[in-house]
Amino acid sequence: MWTTLINNPVAYVSLLVGATGIMVALIIYTRARQLYQQTTRLRTDSEERLAEHEKILETERRELQIAAKEETLKLRAELEQEFKNSRIEAEKVRKRLEEREDSLDKQKNQLEELSRQLRKREEETSDKQAQLDHAVQQAHEELQRIAQMTSEEARTYLLSQVEDEIRQDAAQVMRRVEQEAHDEADRKATQIISQAIQRCAVEQTTETTVSAVALPSDEMKGRIIGREGRNIRAFEQLTGIDLIVDDTPEAVVLSGFDPVRREIAKTALEVLVSDGRIHPGRIEETVEKARQTIEDRIKKAAEQATFETGVTGLHPEVLRLMGRLRFRTSYGQNVLKHSIEVSHLAGAMAGELGAKVAIARRAGLLHDLGKAVDLALVQAADAISASRPGARRETLETYLKRLEGLEAIARNFEGVDKVYAIQAGREVRVLVKPDRIDDLSAHRLAKSMVERIESELDYPGQIRVTVIRETRAVEYAK
């Protein structure tokens, strides 16, 4: 066969061409298959990418829908809030209009009331005018009646009129004569009193309404005030004294009209400053000890006064009351020193008049505890001491009486436990009994006190009334 092919070139070429065609066909087929497979893969990839893009587009579409929904809800909420605000504002406007209508109605009622009162006054004026006309008519009738009197009747009538005028003139003359006699008696009494004053001279002290307490440093002021002012509030509430912390270097000021309270506050504050432990519990304990200390001082002052005057055998309670006069003033004069002076004066005058000196001294020393046991002699000695030059100052006495009157008014109300007038009388601090006064009653009590103060006292500026109701529960662990 191969020999035939070799010998026949045409057949060989034909075979070669056929073989080549088959190979070319195979190559084309293979290439076509590869292209088909690539096309298939590309189409598959395209479909997958298309599906992926469709998923992305779907996700974005859903996100846009959600965002649009949220934006819609937000806008709806804002619109609802604006609508609500508009309704609130409209309600406010409506209330204001109603209040204005009520105010107009009240003004209308007031105008009607004023008009009614005006008509009533006009009626009263008309009635009075009618009464006046009637009185004038009666006077005319009386004059006509007098004109028809006999000469004797007219003479009697005129004499009665002249007698009344003479009596009035005589009363005026008598009053003038009495006044001249009184003035002459005052001049002579002044001369006699001046001679008595020259025989007795006692040291006089003028008490003020403030006391200063020295501090080791300005840092101590912060500790005295305490956190949120709790220490200073506790101190003022327990003592009834106003504690003033200002720019004064290394010092604070205690202000109060009651010298006993002020001395207790000063003693307690000095102990607290020296000790350094300052808190409400410690303050309460120290104030109580200071009260006991002042009581001891009161007792010693009374014993010293009885020793100076030679008065003995007094009851302990009388001694205690007399010792408290050490911290009292009258017109700027220390009352205990004034009582000692009166005792000496009464004894000296009793010796001159031949009376009992011991009784006069005892009465002079005790005269400010009760006027019921005073003799006429003691009243004269009291007047001599109180009226001599420099013994009294009217302004301080008036100021202290006003503060005492302020406390007395507040103390007269039911359920009041303690009363303190502080800040130079600009505030009244009232501590009530919590078992008898509730919170609502405390407000009513403050208002009632304000009304009483406004109606009964004359005072400059304004007075603040603070009612404090405090309850405590105390138990002991054993």
Side-chain angles (χ1 to χ4, degrees):
M1 177 179 180
W2 292 102
T3 303
T4 304
L5 290 173
I6 293 172
N7 292 323
N8 190 359
V10 175
Y12 177 76
V13 171
S14 299
L15 181 62
L16 184 59
V17 171
T20 302
I22 292 171
M23 290 179 65
V24 170
L26 288 174
I27 292 170
I28 292 171
Y29 173 77
T30 301
R31 184 60 179 170
R33 184 177 180 83
Q34 289 177 351
L35 290 174
Y36 175 76
Q37 290 177 349
Q38 289 178 357
T39 303
T40 303
R41 283 197 301 272
L42 289 173
R43 184 174 60 188
T44 303
D45 291 341
S46 298
E47 291 176 354
E48 290 177 355
R49 289 180 182 178
L50 181 61
E52 184 177 355
H53 284 300
E54 289 178 352
K55 290 181 180 180
I56 293 172
L57 291 174
E58 182 65 21
T59 302
E60 291 179 352
R61 184 180 63 80
R62 290 180 181 178
E63 289 178 353
L64 290 174
Q65 288 179 349
I66 293 172
K69 187 175 182 180
E70 291 178 351
E71 186 67 22
T72 302
L73 292 175
K74 182 178 179 181
L75 291 174
R76 182 179 180 181
E78 291 178 354
L79 291 174
E80 290 178 352
Q81 184 63 34
E82 290 180 359
F83 180 71
K84 185 177 180 180
N85 293 337
S86 300
R87 289 185 61 186
I88 293 173
E89 187 65 26
E91 184 67 20
K92 290 181 179 179
V93 172
R94 185 184 65 81
K95 289 183 177 179
R96 285 198 296 268
L97 291 175
E98 291 179 353
E99 291 175 355
R100 184 170 296 178
E101 289 178 358
D102 294 339
S103 176
L104 292 174
D105 292 338
K106 290 181 180 179
Q107 292 179 0
K108 181 181 178 182
N109 294 333
Q110 291 176 355
L111 290 175
E112 291 177 353
E113 179 65 19
L114 289 174
S115 177
R116 186 183 65 79
Q117 293 179 359
L118 182 60
R119 287 196 300 271
K120 184 178 179 181
R121 289 184 180 180
E122 289 178 352
E123 293 174 357
E124 292 176 353
T125 304
S126 300
D127 294 339
K128 290 181 179 180
Q129 183 65 37
Q131 294 175 3
L132 181 61
D133 294 339
H134 180 68
V136 171
Q137 181 66 28
Q138 287 182 342
H140 282 295
E141 293 176 357
E142 183 67 15
L143 287 174
Q144 292 176 1
R145 186 184 66 79
I146 292 174
Q148 297 175 359
M149 285 182 182
T150 64
S151 59
E152 186 65 26
E153 290 175 347
R155 181 173 176 275
T156 303
Y157 178 79
L158 291 174
L159 286 176
S160 64
Q161 295 292 329
V162 172
E163 183 180 0
D164 292 339
E165 294 178 359
I166 292 174
R167 287 181 183 276
Q168 293 178 0
D169 294 339
Q172 293 177 357
V173 172
M174 290 177 63
R175 283 196 296 268
R176 185 174 66 253
V177 172
E178 289 177 356
Q179 184 64 36
E180 291 175 355
H182 186 270
D183 294 340
E184 181 65 21
D186 284 343
R187 285 193 293 271
K188 291 185 178 180
T190 302
Q191 182 180 0
I192 296 171
I193 290 172
S194 299
Q195 293 175 356
I197 289 174
Q198 293 175 2
R199 299 181 56 188
C200 179
V202 178
E203 179 186 359
Q204 300 298 322
T205 59
T206 301
E207 299 288 345
T208 61
T209 59
V210 296
S211 298
V213 177
L215 302 178
S217 64
D218 286 338
E219 181 183 355
M220 184 61 67
K221 293 181 180 180
R223 300 174 66 181
I224 291 174
I225 296 173
R227 182 179 300 175
E228 297 180 355
R230 63 174 187 172
N231 291 344
I232 192 171
R233 285 199 302 271
F235 185 86
E236 291 180 344
Q237 180 175 337
L238 291 169
T239 60
I241 295 297
D242 189 20
L243 178 56
I244 302 173
V245 181
D246 53 17
D247 296 333
T248 305
E250 298 182 355
V252 293
V253 176
L254 298 172
S255 176
F257 80 97
D258 192 322
V260 177
R261 293 183 203 158
R262 196 169 66 249
E263 190 66 23
I264 292 173
K266 181 180 179 182
T267 303
L269 187 58
E270 288 175 348
V271 172
L272 289 169
V273 170
S274 62
D275 182 56
R277 294 178 298 165
I278 305 177
H279 54 81
R282 177 63 175 163
I283 292 172
E284 185 174 2
E285 177 185 353
T286 306
V287 169
E288 189 61 33
K289 289 182 179 179
R291 284 197 178 95
Q292 187 60 44
T293 301
I294 298 304
E295 287 293 332
D296 295 339
R297 293 184 189 176
I298 288 172
K299 182 178 179 182
K300 291 180 181 179
E303 293 174 351
Q304 181 65 27
T306 57
F307 176 77
E308 291 181 14
T309 56
V311 177
T312 59
L314 296 179
H315 191 276
E317 186 62 26
V318 175
L319 284 174
R320 179 177 177 275
L321 292 175
M322 185 174 64
R324 290 179 67 86
L325 299 179
R326 164 65 182 82
F327 301 100
R328 293 285 180 181
T329 59
S330 178
Y331 293 93
Q333 184 181 23
N334 185 276
V335 178
L336 183 58
K337 292 184 179 295
H338 160 71
S339 299
I340 295 172
E341 181 179 7
V342 172
S343 178
H344 288 308
L345 282 169
M349 296 171 68
E352 292 292 331
L353 297 175
K356 294 182 180 180
V357 176
I359 294 178
R361 285 183 177 178
R362 179 184 292 265
L365 183 64
L366 301 178
H367 79 283
D368 269 337
L369 296 180
K371 297 294 183 180
V373 296
D374 285 356
L375 304 175
L377 189 61
V378 177
Q379 291 175 352
D382 183 19
I384 291 172
S385 173
S387 62
R388 67 178 181 78
R392 293 187 173 182
R393 292 188 305 177
E394 181 65 26
T395 39
L396 179 59
E397 177 67 12
T398 304
Y399 164 71
L400 294 180
K401 283 185 177 180
R402 178 165 60 82
L403 295 187
E404 290 173 355
L406 198 59
E407 286 193 352
I409 289 176
R411 199 177 290 110
N412 285 334
F413 284 86
E414 196 71 24
V416 174
D417 186 16
K418 296 178 182 178
V419 179
Y420 300 118
I422 62 175
Q423 294 187 2
R426 293 189 297 273
E427 180 179 358
V428 181
R429 192 160 293 174
V430 182
L431 278 68
V432 298
K433 299 175 182 178
D435 56 338
R436 300 180 63 181
I437 302 294
D438 56 16
D439 292 338
L440 183 60
S441 301
H443 291 282
R444 291 199 298 265
L445 181 63
K447 186 175 181 181
S448 300
M449 288 182 180
V450 167
E451 293 174 353
R452 283 281 301 277
I453 291 171
E454 290 176 346
S455 62
E456 298 183 14
L457 287 184
D458 293 329
Y459 52 89
Q462 62 182 8
I463 298 176
R464 176 183 179 183
V465 177
T466 303
V467 177
I468 300 174
R469 179 178 180 269
E470 182 182 46
T471 56
R472 294 188 182 186
V474 181
E475 295 290 342
Y476 295 93
K478 300 180 180 178

